[in-house]
Amino acid sequence: MKLLLKKGWVLDPGEKIDGQFDLLVVDGKIAEIKPEIDIPVDKIIEVSGLIVAPGFIDLHAHLREPGFEHKETIASGSRAAARGGFTTVCCMPNTNPVNDSPEITRFIKAKAEKESPVNVLPIAAVTKNQKGQELAPLSELVAAGAVAFSDDGQPVYNSALMKQAMEKAAELNVPIIDHCEEKTLALTGVINEGRVSRLLGVEGIPAAAEEIMVARDIILAKNFNLPVHLAHLSTKGSVELLRWAKENRVPVSAEVTPHHLLLTEEALLSRDPNYKVNPPLRTEEDVKALRQALKEGLIEVIATDHAPHAEDEKKLGLEKAPFGINGLETAVPALLDKLVRTGEFSLNRLIEALSVVPARLLRLQNKGRIKPGADADLTLLDLKGVTSITRETFQSKSLNTPYLGSQFQGTVAMTIVNGRVVYPVLD
Ligand code: DOR
């Protein structure tokens, strides 16, 4: 099967490609990138005016299956990913049962193989049942197809166990991703502790709850020279700790979500539970620090933390609704509109954070790059197109996005996985 993408603007900061090229895909792999390719093929797609980027990889998403299929399934979450421009999604293990066994890892992979238009890569739990007591069978999990470990939703409290897990992950050559939260400080908190929580009279989650665990993980990484990846950073203090870590050559990497880059606690004045997320939306100063860190490359990755919850669950009100923002379909258009169109970030920087670096972290040699031999996973963007976020077009099974009814300038024009167009769905 030969597919030819004609006259797209190919942008790959990793391979240093920035120009108009024809791109030939043969049997799901990138075959050639040249200013002009003129050979007989099965299909030609005219893509002039569109950006052709290496396929976006979401390092942090919740697909909810098995166990919470009323919120999302592997199939619906994957369709949301395709629509949102993600060719690969890494799914967190806080399912029911927890993905702490090779059986569940294999179940997810098999289900995705059958039902998913995109690549689904399972992240397995660090500890059994995410209880923080005993390590999960990490080697077996990797053998079954896990690409990383995390107890996301929970930190690994026990530092000795965390150290052991970091050692094992390093030996297995996969990242370990920590959800940094000192729960004793965040116990009954609902939103950021500060002006808005005081105004609303709801319990707050202090920045210290995150920063204590960020500091602990950095110290473990430094003292034992073991890598760790920090999930969804949200505070200026975390950025300062990260700066110290990088200056001291500590093997630490970090991610930030679109919502922590784009929204502040002020949004919670509406009491809309669709803004309730963990870690919580913070202050303008935190947002500024996170953006600066992303610009400098202190934070390397943007990950959605796609956390679908059913409408009736989010309707329970601010105090009782579960934490989480639905992110796969809104992330790219919102980032294009609010960070790229405004000139604050280059498109190159965005592509690095959404594709090149996640591929590198996951050691995916054939992804995150447009190069002959690499998988033909591509995200095509139309910077002038408009994305409307509506109930009718939403692919996720849940609608818990604060952006329902919003329009963004910048749109995902096409998502291609292994040489197959998976969005828009063509018959
Ligand atoms: O807001 C969140 N939702 N944060 C997490 O860490 C977990 C996630 C979920 O699973 O809903």
Side-chain angles (χ1 to χ4, degrees), residues 180 207-219 222 230 233 235-250 252-254 289 293 298-299:
C180 295
E210 175 172 308
E211 291 158 9
I212 286 171
M213 271 301 170
V214 168
R216 193 278 311 253
D217 283 355
I218 288 173
I219 288 165
K222 178 172 189 289
L230 308 176
L233 292 189
T235 78
K236 185 179 174 192
S238 293
V239 169
E240 281 164 3
L241 290 163
L242 192 60
R243 187 180 301 283
W244 179 87
K246 298 266 176 165
E247 280 167 8
N248 286 279
R249 298 179 177 281
V250 181
V252 57
S253 55
L298 273 183
I299 294 179

PDB file of all heavy atoms in Angstrom, residues 180 207-219 222 230 233 235-250 252-254 289 293 298-299:
ATOM      1  N   CYS A 180       3.032  13.169  42.204  1.00  0.00           N
ATOM      2  CA  CYS A 180       3.620  13.778  43.400  1.00  0.00           C
ATOM      3  C   CYS A 180       2.552  14.446  44.254  1.00  0.00           C
ATOM      4  O   CYS A 180       2.104  15.554  43.943  1.00  0.00           O
ATOM      5  CB  CYS A 180       4.686  14.791  42.992  1.00  0.00           C
ATOM      6  SG  CYS A 180       6.083  14.002  42.180  1.00  0.00           S
ATOM      7  N   ALA A 207       0.095  23.984  47.703  1.00  0.00           N
ATOM      8  CA  ALA A 207       1.209  23.697  46.782  1.00  0.00           C
ATOM      9  C   ALA A 207       2.191  22.728  47.438  1.00  0.00           C
ATOM     10  O   ALA A 207       2.783  21.880  46.777  1.00  0.00           O
ATOM     11  CB  ALA A 207       1.902  25.004  46.407  1.00  0.00           C
ATOM     12  N   ALA A 208       2.335  22.845  48.764  1.00  0.00           N
ATOM     13  CA  ALA A 208       3.306  22.006  49.481  1.00  0.00           C
ATOM     14  C   ALA A 208       3.008  20.518  49.310  1.00  0.00           C
ATOM     15  O   ALA A 208       3.924  19.688  49.330  1.00  0.00           O
ATOM     16  CB  ALA A 208       3.303  22.369  50.966  1.00  0.00           C
ATOM     17  N   ALA A 209       1.729  20.162  49.135  1.00  0.00           N
ATOM     18  CA  ALA A 209       1.380  18.742  48.974  1.00  0.00           C
ATOM     19  C   ALA A 209       2.121  18.165  47.769  1.00  0.00           C
ATOM     20  O   ALA A 209       2.582  17.023  47.797  1.00  0.00           O
ATOM     21  CB  ALA A 209      -0.130  18.586  48.802  1.00  0.00           C
ATOM     22  N   GLU A 210       2.224  18.955  46.705  1.00  0.00           N
ATOM     23  CA  GLU A 210       2.955  18.494  45.512  1.00  0.00           C
ATOM     24  C   GLU A 210       4.470  18.616  45.724  1.00  0.00           C
ATOM     25  O   GLU A 210       5.231  17.692  45.442  1.00  0.00           O
ATOM     26  CB  GLU A 210       2.535  19.350  44.307  1.00  0.00           C
ATOM     27  CG  GLU A 210       3.320  19.040  43.045  1.00  0.00           C
ATOM     28  CD  GLU A 210       2.731  19.764  41.818  1.00  0.00           C
ATOM     29  OE1 GLU A 210       1.513  19.642  41.585  1.00  0.00           O
ATOM     30  OE2 GLU A 210       3.495  20.454  41.129  1.00  0.00           O
ATOM     31  N   GLU A 211       4.880  19.766  46.247  1.00  0.00           N
ATOM     32  CA  GLU A 211       6.314  20.078  46.259  1.00  0.00           C
ATOM     33  C   GLU A 211       7.117  19.143  47.175  1.00  0.00           C
ATOM     34  O   GLU A 211       8.273  18.819  46.882  1.00  0.00           O
ATOM     35  CB  GLU A 211       6.502  21.555  46.636  1.00  0.00           C
ATOM     36  CG  GLU A 211       5.991  22.467  45.512  1.00  0.00           C
ATOM     37  CD  GLU A 211       5.640  23.872  45.962  1.00  0.00           C
ATOM     38  OE1 GLU A 211       5.941  24.232  47.123  1.00  0.00           O
ATOM     39  OE2 GLU A 211       5.047  24.626  45.149  1.00  0.00           O
ATOM     40  N   ILE A 212       6.493  18.703  48.266  1.00  0.00           N
ATOM     41  CA  ILE A 212       7.202  17.776  49.169  1.00  0.00           C
ATOM     42  C   ILE A 212       7.578  16.495  48.423  1.00  0.00           C
ATOM     43  O   ILE A 212       8.697  16.000  48.531  1.00  0.00           O
ATOM     44  CB  ILE A 212       6.325  17.469  50.412  1.00  0.00           C
ATOM     45  CG1 ILE A 212       6.326  18.683  51.340  1.00  0.00           C
ATOM     46  CG2 ILE A 212       6.806  16.211  51.149  1.00  0.00           C
ATOM     47  CD1 ILE A 212       5.348  18.600  52.493  1.00  0.00           C
ATOM     48  N   MET A 213       6.648  15.988  47.643  1.00  0.00           N
ATOM     49  CA  MET A 213       6.917  14.737  46.901  1.00  0.00           C
ATOM     50  C   MET A 213       7.870  14.966  45.727  1.00  0.00           C
ATOM     51  O   MET A 213       8.679  14.097  45.402  1.00  0.00           O
ATOM     52  CB  MET A 213       5.613  14.124  46.390  1.00  0.00           C
ATOM     53  CG  MET A 213       4.979  13.180  47.368  1.00  0.00           C
ATOM     54  SD  MET A 213       6.067  11.804  47.807  1.00  0.00           S
ATOM     55  CE  MET A 213       5.130  11.137  49.158  1.00  0.00           C
ATOM     56  N   VAL A 214       7.766  16.141  45.098  1.00  0.00           N
ATOM     57  CA  VAL A 214       8.704  16.471  44.017  1.00  0.00           C
ATOM     58  C   VAL A 214      10.124  16.488  44.600  1.00  0.00           C
ATOM     59  O   VAL A 214      11.049  15.888  44.042  1.00  0.00           O
ATOM     60  CB  VAL A 214       8.349  17.827  43.363  1.00  0.00           C
ATOM     61  CG1 VAL A 214       9.473  18.325  42.457  1.00  0.00           C
ATOM     62  CG2 VAL A 214       7.042  17.711  42.563  1.00  0.00           C
ATOM     63  N   ALA A 215      10.258  17.130  45.769  1.00  0.00           N
ATOM     64  CA  ALA A 215      11.583  17.212  46.410  1.00  0.00           C
ATOM     65  C   ALA A 215      12.076  15.811  46.786  1.00  0.00           C
ATOM     66  O   ALA A 215      13.237  15.462  46.545  1.00  0.00           O
ATOM     67  CB  ALA A 215      11.500  18.104  47.649  1.00  0.00           C
ATOM     68  N   ARG A 216      11.177  15.010  47.338  1.00  0.00           N
ATOM     69  CA  ARG A 216      11.571  13.638  47.745  1.00  0.00           C
ATOM     70  C   ARG A 216      12.080  12.856  46.525  1.00  0.00           C
ATOM     71  O   ARG A 216      13.134  12.221  46.564  1.00  0.00           O
ATOM     72  CB  ARG A 216      10.361  12.946  48.373  1.00  0.00           C
ATOM     73  CG  ARG A 216      10.617  11.650  49.142  1.00  0.00           C
ATOM     74  CD  ARG A 216      10.738  10.366  48.345  1.00  0.00           C
ATOM     75  NE  ARG A 216       9.732  10.081  47.357  1.00  0.00           N
ATOM     76  CZ  ARG A 216       8.775   9.142  47.484  1.00  0.00           C
ATOM     77  NH1 ARG A 216       8.695   8.453  48.583  1.00  0.00           N
ATOM     78  NH2 ARG A 216       7.931   8.910  46.480  1.00  0.00           N
ATOM     79  N   ASP A 217      11.332  12.947  45.427  1.00  0.00           N
ATOM     80  CA  ASP A 217      11.716  12.176  44.236  1.00  0.00           C
ATOM     81  C   ASP A 217      13.032  12.676  43.655  1.00  0.00           C
ATOM     82  O   ASP A 217      13.865  11.886  43.202  1.00  0.00           O
ATOM     83  CB  ASP A 217      10.612  12.263  43.172  1.00  0.00           C
ATOM     84  CG  ASP A 217       9.437  11.360  43.514  1.00  0.00           C
ATOM     85  OD1 ASP A 217       9.520  10.610  44.502  1.00  0.00           O
ATOM     86  OD2 ASP A 217       8.420  11.410  42.786  1.00  0.00           O
ATOM     87  N   ILE A 218      13.223  13.983  43.679  1.00  0.00           N
ATOM     88  CA  ILE A 218      14.476  14.542  43.151  1.00  0.00           C
ATOM     89  C   ILE A 218      15.656  14.076  44.006  1.00  0.00           C
ATOM     90  O   ILE A 218      16.721  13.717  43.494  1.00  0.00           O
ATOM     91  CB  ILE A 218      14.383  16.089  43.081  1.00  0.00           C
ATOM     92  CG1 ILE A 218      13.439  16.496  41.927  1.00  0.00           C
ATOM     93  CG2 ILE A 218      15.756  16.724  42.900  1.00  0.00           C
ATOM     94  CD1 ILE A 218      13.120  17.979  41.857  1.00  0.00           C
ATOM     95  N   ILE A 219      15.444  14.046  45.298  1.00  0.00           N
ATOM     96  CA  ILE A 219      16.539  13.608  46.189  1.00  0.00           C
ATOM     97  C   ILE A 219      16.848  12.127  45.969  1.00  0.00           C
ATOM     98  O   ILE A 219      18.010  11.724  45.892  1.00  0.00           O
ATOM     99  CB  ILE A 219      16.197  13.943  47.661  1.00  0.00           C
ATOM    100  CG1 ILE A 219      16.307  15.466  47.840  1.00  0.00           C
ATOM    101  CG2 ILE A 219      17.129  13.218  48.633  1.00  0.00           C
ATOM    102  CD1 ILE A 219      15.677  16.002  49.096  1.00  0.00           C
ATOM    103  N   LYS A 222      18.712  11.946  42.700  1.00  0.00           N
ATOM    104  CA  LYS A 222      20.081  12.490  42.791  1.00  0.00           C
ATOM    105  C   LYS A 222      21.000  11.545  43.573  1.00  0.00           C
ATOM    106  O   LYS A 222      22.060  11.156  43.103  1.00  0.00           O
ATOM    107  CB  LYS A 222      20.039  13.851  43.478  1.00  0.00           C
ATOM    108  CG  LYS A 222      21.421  14.489  43.681  1.00  0.00           C
ATOM    109  CD  LYS A 222      21.297  15.911  44.188  1.00  0.00           C
ATOM    110  CE  LYS A 222      22.638  16.625  44.177  1.00  0.00           C
ATOM    111  NZ  LYS A 222      23.546  16.126  45.201  1.00  0.00           N
ATOM    112  N   LEU A 230       8.285  13.077  36.545  1.00  0.00           N
ATOM    113  CA  LEU A 230       7.287  13.667  37.430  1.00  0.00           C
ATOM    114  C   LEU A 230       6.039  14.033  36.628  1.00  0.00           C
ATOM    115  O   LEU A 230       6.111  14.782  35.659  1.00  0.00           O
ATOM    116  CB  LEU A 230       7.864  14.918  38.109  1.00  0.00           C
ATOM    117  CG  LEU A 230       9.226  14.707  38.801  1.00  0.00           C
ATOM    118  CD1 LEU A 230       9.746  16.025  39.362  1.00  0.00           C
ATOM    119  CD2 LEU A 230       9.126  13.658  39.914  1.00  0.00           C
ATOM    120  N   LEU A 233       3.034  18.470  36.719  1.00  0.00           N
ATOM    121  CA  LEU A 233       3.482  19.498  37.678  1.00  0.00           C
ATOM    122  C   LEU A 233       2.553  20.720  37.592  1.00  0.00           C
ATOM    123  O   LEU A 233       2.084  21.106  36.524  1.00  0.00           O
ATOM    124  CB  LEU A 233       4.916  19.919  37.390  1.00  0.00           C
ATOM    125  CG  LEU A 233       5.971  18.847  37.657  1.00  0.00           C
ATOM    126  CD1 LEU A 233       7.373  19.447  37.537  1.00  0.00           C
ATOM    127  CD2 LEU A 233       5.798  18.170  39.011  1.00  0.00           C
ATOM    128  N   THR A 235       2.933  23.661  40.165  1.00  0.00           N
ATOM    129  CA  THR A 235       3.269  24.840  40.978  1.00  0.00           C
ATOM    130  C   THR A 235       4.639  25.436  40.616  1.00  0.00           C
ATOM    131  O   THR A 235       5.533  24.747  40.117  1.00  0.00           O
ATOM    132  CB  THR A 235       3.285  24.521  42.501  1.00  0.00           C
ATOM    133  OG1 THR A 235       4.506  23.855  42.811  1.00  0.00           O
ATOM    134  CG2 THR A 235       2.103  23.658  42.917  1.00  0.00           C
ATOM    135  N   LYS A 236       4.755  26.717  40.954  1.00  0.00           N
ATOM    136  CA  LYS A 236       6.011  27.434  40.749  1.00  0.00           C
ATOM    137  C   LYS A 236       7.121  26.796  41.597  1.00  0.00           C
ATOM    138  O   LYS A 236       8.265  26.676  41.170  1.00  0.00           O
ATOM    139  CB  LYS A 236       5.797  28.895  41.168  1.00  0.00           C
ATOM    140  CG  LYS A 236       6.962  29.785  40.900  1.00  0.00           C
ATOM    141  CD  LYS A 236       6.658  31.202  41.319  1.00  0.00           C
ATOM    142  CE  LYS A 236       7.898  32.054  41.189  1.00  0.00           C
ATOM    143  NZ  LYS A 236       7.765  33.350  41.830  1.00  0.00           N
ATOM    144  N   GLY A 237       6.745  26.384  42.796  1.00  0.00           N
ATOM    145  CA  GLY A 237       7.720  25.731  43.680  1.00  0.00           C
ATOM    146  C   GLY A 237       8.274  24.459  43.049  1.00  0.00           C
ATOM    147  O   GLY A 237       9.475  24.169  43.151  1.00  0.00           O
ATOM    148  N   SER A 238       7.413  23.692  42.389  1.00  0.00           N
ATOM    149  CA  SER A 238       7.887  22.465  41.721  1.00  0.00           C
ATOM    150  C   SER A 238       8.874  22.823  40.624  1.00  0.00           C
ATOM    151  O   SER A 238       9.882  22.133  40.420  1.00  0.00           O
ATOM    152  CB  SER A 238       6.715  21.690  41.110  1.00  0.00           C
ATOM    153  OG  SER A 238       5.887  21.177  42.115  1.00  0.00           O
ATOM    154  N   VAL A 239       8.585  23.910  39.902  1.00  0.00           N
ATOM    155  CA  VAL A 239       9.484  24.345  38.829  1.00  0.00           C
ATOM    156  C   VAL A 239      10.847  24.742  39.415  1.00  0.00           C
ATOM    157  O   VAL A 239      11.894  24.405  38.866  1.00  0.00           O
ATOM    158  CB  VAL A 239       8.863  25.522  38.034  1.00  0.00           C
ATOM    159  CG1 VAL A 239       9.891  26.161  37.098  1.00  0.00           C
ATOM    160  CG2 VAL A 239       7.642  25.050  37.251  1.00  0.00           C
ATOM    161  N   GLU A 240      10.823  25.400  40.571  1.00  0.00           N
ATOM    162  CA  GLU A 240      12.097  25.809  41.179  1.00  0.00           C
ATOM    163  C   GLU A 240      12.917  24.592  41.606  1.00  0.00           C
ATOM    164  O   GLU A 240      14.132  24.544  41.449  1.00  0.00           O
ATOM    165  CB  GLU A 240      11.835  26.760  42.356  1.00  0.00           C
ATOM    166  CG  GLU A 240      11.536  28.163  41.852  1.00  0.00           C
ATOM    167  CD  GLU A 240      10.893  29.083  42.879  1.00  0.00           C
ATOM    168  OE1 GLU A 240      10.707  28.667  44.043  1.00  0.00           O
ATOM    169  OE2 GLU A 240      10.551  30.224  42.488  1.00  0.00           O
ATOM    170  N   LEU A 241      12.215  23.592  42.141  1.00  0.00           N
ATOM    171  CA  LEU A 241      12.910  22.351  42.536  1.00  0.00           C
ATOM    172  C   LEU A 241      13.494  21.659  41.297  1.00  0.00           C
ATOM    173  O   LEU A 241      14.617  21.154  41.338  1.00  0.00           O
ATOM    174  CB  LEU A 241      11.937  21.420  43.260  1.00  0.00           C
ATOM    175  CG  LEU A 241      11.504  21.894  44.654  1.00  0.00           C
ATOM    176  CD1 LEU A 241      10.253  21.153  45.127  1.00  0.00           C
ATOM    177  CD2 LEU A 241      12.636  21.698  45.668  1.00  0.00           C
ATOM    178  N   LEU A 242      12.709  21.670  40.229  1.00  0.00           N
ATOM    179  CA  LEU A 242      13.149  21.043  38.979  1.00  0.00           C
ATOM    180  C   LEU A 242      14.381  21.770  38.426  1.00  0.00           C
ATOM    181  O   LEU A 242      15.324  21.150  37.946  1.00  0.00           O
ATOM    182  CB  LEU A 242      11.993  21.106  37.978  1.00  0.00           C
ATOM    183  CG  LEU A 242      12.108  20.277  36.726  1.00  0.00           C
ATOM    184  CD1 LEU A 242      12.227  18.787  37.040  1.00  0.00           C
ATOM    185  CD2 LEU A 242      10.871  20.501  35.833  1.00  0.00           C
ATOM    186  N   ARG A 243      14.359  23.103  38.534  1.00  0.00           N
ATOM    187  CA  ARG A 243      15.506  23.892  38.062  1.00  0.00           C
ATOM    188  C   ARG A 243      16.763  23.495  38.820  1.00  0.00           C
ATOM    189  O   ARG A 243      17.813  23.239  38.246  1.00  0.00           O
ATOM    190  CB  ARG A 243      15.226  25.391  38.239  1.00  0.00           C
ATOM    191  CG  ARG A 243      16.293  26.291  37.627  1.00  0.00           C
ATOM    192  CD  ARG A 243      15.973  27.763  37.820  1.00  0.00           C
ATOM    193  NE  ARG A 243      14.694  28.140  37.239  1.00  0.00           N
ATOM    194  CZ  ARG A 243      14.480  28.337  35.934  1.00  0.00           C
ATOM    195  NH1 ARG A 243      15.486  28.204  35.084  1.00  0.00           N
ATOM    196  NH2 ARG A 243      13.291  28.672  35.485  1.00  0.00           N
ATOM    197  N   TRP A 244      16.609  23.378  40.139  1.00  0.00           N
ATOM    198  CA  TRP A 244      17.746  22.956  40.967  1.00  0.00           C
ATOM    199  C   TRP A 244      18.232  21.577  40.525  1.00  0.00           C
ATOM    200  O   TRP A 244      19.419  21.326  40.366  1.00  0.00           O
ATOM    201  CB  TRP A 244      17.318  22.951  42.453  1.00  0.00           C
ATOM    202  CG  TRP A 244      18.422  22.513  43.366  1.00  0.00           C
ATOM    203  CD1 TRP A 244      19.390  23.287  43.927  1.00  0.00           C
ATOM    204  CD2 TRP A 244      18.693  21.167  43.793  1.00  0.00           C
ATOM    205  NE1 TRP A 244      20.245  22.514  44.688  1.00  0.00           N
ATOM    206  CE2 TRP A 244      19.837  21.214  44.611  1.00  0.00           C
ATOM    207  CE3 TRP A 244      18.087  19.939  43.569  1.00  0.00           C
ATOM    208  CZ2 TRP A 244      20.372  20.080  45.215  1.00  0.00           C
ATOM    209  CZ3 TRP A 244      18.629  18.793  44.157  1.00  0.00           C
ATOM    210  CH2 TRP A 244      19.759  18.868  44.974  1.00  0.00           C
ATOM    211  N   ALA A 245      17.265  20.696  40.304  1.00  0.00           N
ATOM    212  CA  ALA A 245      17.615  19.318  39.913  1.00  0.00           C
ATOM    213  C   ALA A 245      18.397  19.304  38.605  1.00  0.00           C
ATOM    214  O   ALA A 245      19.434  18.651  38.484  1.00  0.00           O
ATOM    215  CB  ALA A 245      16.349  18.479  39.786  1.00  0.00           C
ATOM    216  N   LYS A 246      17.906  20.059  37.625  1.00  0.00           N
ATOM    217  CA  LYS A 246      18.572  20.045  36.316  1.00  0.00           C
ATOM    218  C   LYS A 246      19.968  20.670  36.407  1.00  0.00           C
ATOM    219  O   LYS A 246      20.892  20.214  35.752  1.00  0.00           O
ATOM    220  CB  LYS A 246      17.721  20.795  35.280  1.00  0.00           C
ATOM    221  CG  LYS A 246      16.370  20.168  35.059  1.00  0.00           C
ATOM    222  CD  LYS A 246      16.389  19.213  33.887  1.00  0.00           C
ATOM    223  CE  LYS A 246      15.037  18.547  33.774  1.00  0.00           C
ATOM    224  NZ  LYS A 246      14.774  17.873  32.553  1.00  0.00           N
ATOM    225  N   GLU A 247      20.062  21.739  37.223  1.00  0.00           N
ATOM    226  CA  GLU A 247      21.376  22.366  37.385  1.00  0.00           C
ATOM    227  C   GLU A 247      22.365  21.397  38.028  1.00  0.00           C
ATOM    228  O   GLU A 247      23.556  21.490  37.831  1.00  0.00           O
ATOM    229  CB  GLU A 247      21.254  23.643  38.223  1.00  0.00           C
ATOM    230  CG  GLU A 247      20.751  24.816  37.393  1.00  0.00           C
ATOM    231  CD  GLU A 247      20.314  26.014  38.247  1.00  0.00           C
ATOM    232  OE1 GLU A 247      20.538  25.999  39.487  1.00  0.00           O
ATOM    233  OE2 GLU A 247      19.734  26.946  37.664  1.00  0.00           O
ATOM    234  N   ASN A 248      21.826  20.483  38.807  1.00  0.00           N
ATOM    235  CA  ASN A 248      22.692  19.508  39.470  1.00  0.00           C
ATOM    236  C   ASN A 248      22.726  18.165  38.746  1.00  0.00           C
ATOM    237  O   ASN A 248      23.107  17.149  39.321  1.00  0.00           O
ATOM    238  CB  ASN A 248      22.251  19.341  40.925  1.00  0.00           C
ATOM    239  CG  ASN A 248      22.651  20.537  41.767  1.00  0.00           C
ATOM    240  OD1 ASN A 248      23.797  20.638  42.194  1.00  0.00           O
ATOM    241  ND2 ASN A 248      21.735  21.470  41.942  1.00  0.00           N
ATOM    242  N   ARG A 249      22.311  18.193  37.498  1.00  0.00           N
ATOM    243  CA  ARG A 249      22.364  17.011  36.624  1.00  0.00           C
ATOM    244  C   ARG A 249      21.659  15.788  37.198  1.00  0.00           C
ATOM    245  O   ARG A 249      22.078  14.643  37.036  1.00  0.00           O
ATOM    246  CB  ARG A 249      23.812  16.637  36.287  1.00  0.00           C
ATOM    247  CG  ARG A 249      24.526  17.721  35.528  1.00  0.00           C
ATOM    248  CD  ARG A 249      25.971  17.327  35.220  1.00  0.00           C
ATOM    249  NE  ARG A 249      26.620  18.359  34.440  1.00  0.00           N
ATOM    250  CZ  ARG A 249      26.453  18.520  33.136  1.00  0.00           C
ATOM    251  NH1 ARG A 249      25.686  17.707  32.459  1.00  0.00           N
ATOM    252  NH2 ARG A 249      27.071  19.498  32.504  1.00  0.00           N
ATOM    253  N   VAL A 250      20.559  16.038  37.879  1.00  0.00           N
ATOM    254  CA  VAL A 250      19.759  14.926  38.408  1.00  0.00           C
ATOM    255  C   VAL A 250      18.946  14.351  37.240  1.00  0.00           C
ATOM    256  O   VAL A 250      18.361  15.109  36.464  1.00  0.00           O
ATOM    257  CB  VAL A 250      18.817  15.430  39.536  1.00  0.00           C
ATOM    258  CG1 VAL A 250      17.997  14.279  40.099  1.00  0.00           C
ATOM    259  CG2 VAL A 250      19.625  16.118  40.625  1.00  0.00           C
ATOM    260  N   VAL A 252      16.099  13.644  36.070  1.00  0.00           N
ATOM    261  CA  VAL A 252      14.668  13.795  36.273  1.00  0.00           C
ATOM    262  C   VAL A 252      14.052  14.467  35.043  1.00  0.00           C
ATOM    263  O   VAL A 252      14.660  15.334  34.424  1.00  0.00           O
ATOM    264  CB  VAL A 252      14.392  14.600  37.579  1.00  0.00           C
ATOM    265  CG1 VAL A 252      15.051  15.936  37.559  1.00  0.00           C
ATOM    266  CG2 VAL A 252      12.918  14.751  37.845  1.00  0.00           C
ATOM    267  N   SER A 253      12.831  14.037  34.696  1.00  0.00           N
ATOM    268  CA  SER A 253      12.091  14.684  33.607  1.00  0.00           C
ATOM    269  C   SER A 253      10.698  14.985  34.138  1.00  0.00           C
ATOM    270  O   SER A 253      10.303  14.472  35.187  1.00  0.00           O
ATOM    271  CB  SER A 253      12.027  13.761  32.384  1.00  0.00           C
ATOM    272  OG  SER A 253      11.482  12.510  32.753  1.00  0.00           O
ATOM    273  N   ALA A 254       9.966  15.839  33.400  1.00  0.00           N
ATOM    274  CA  ALA A 254       8.669  16.253  33.939  1.00  0.00           C
ATOM    275  C   ALA A 254       7.692  16.597  32.833  1.00  0.00           C
ATOM    276  O   ALA A 254       8.083  16.900  31.706  1.00  0.00           O
ATOM    277  CB  ALA A 254       8.854  17.462  34.857  1.00  0.00           C
ATOM    278  N   ALA A 289       5.141  30.398  35.648  1.00  0.00           N
ATOM    279  CA  ALA A 289       6.349  29.599  35.904  1.00  0.00           C
ATOM    280  C   ALA A 289       6.333  28.315  35.067  1.00  0.00           C
ATOM    281  O   ALA A 289       7.371  27.902  34.534  1.00  0.00           O
ATOM    282  CB  ALA A 289       6.442  29.261  37.388  1.00  0.00           C
ATOM    283  N   ALA A 293       9.024  27.312  32.241  1.00  0.00           N
ATOM    284  CA  ALA A 293       9.762  26.046  32.348  1.00  0.00           C
ATOM    285  C   ALA A 293       9.637  25.237  31.052  1.00  0.00           C
ATOM    286  O   ALA A 293      10.596  24.614  30.604  1.00  0.00           O
ATOM    287  CB  ALA A 293       9.224  25.232  33.522  1.00  0.00           C
ATOM    288  N   LEU A 298      12.905  22.933  30.746  1.00  0.00           N
ATOM    289  CA  LEU A 298      13.001  22.327  32.093  1.00  0.00           C
ATOM    290  C   LEU A 298      11.913  21.276  32.210  1.00  0.00           C
ATOM    291  O   LEU A 298      12.120  20.176  32.709  1.00  0.00           O
ATOM    292  CB  LEU A 298      12.717  23.389  33.160  1.00  0.00           C
ATOM    293  CG  LEU A 298      13.822  24.250  33.678  1.00  0.00           C
ATOM    294  CD1 LEU A 298      13.291  25.167  34.766  1.00  0.00           C
ATOM    295  CD2 LEU A 298      14.963  23.408  34.211  1.00  0.00           C
ATOM    296  N   ILE A 299      10.713  21.634  31.772  1.00  0.00           N
ATOM    297  CA  ILE A 299       9.635  20.656  31.600  1.00  0.00           C
ATOM    298  C   ILE A 299       9.674  20.286  30.129  1.00  0.00           C
ATOM    299  O   ILE A 299       9.621  21.154  29.254  1.00  0.00           O
ATOM    300  CB  ILE A 299       8.263  21.260  31.967  1.00  0.00           C
ATOM    301  CG1 ILE A 299       8.217  21.578  33.471  1.00  0.00           C
ATOM    302  CG2 ILE A 299       7.135  20.301  31.588  1.00  0.00           C
ATOM    303  CD1 ILE A 299       6.905  22.204  33.938  1.00  0.00           C
TER     304      ILE A 299
END
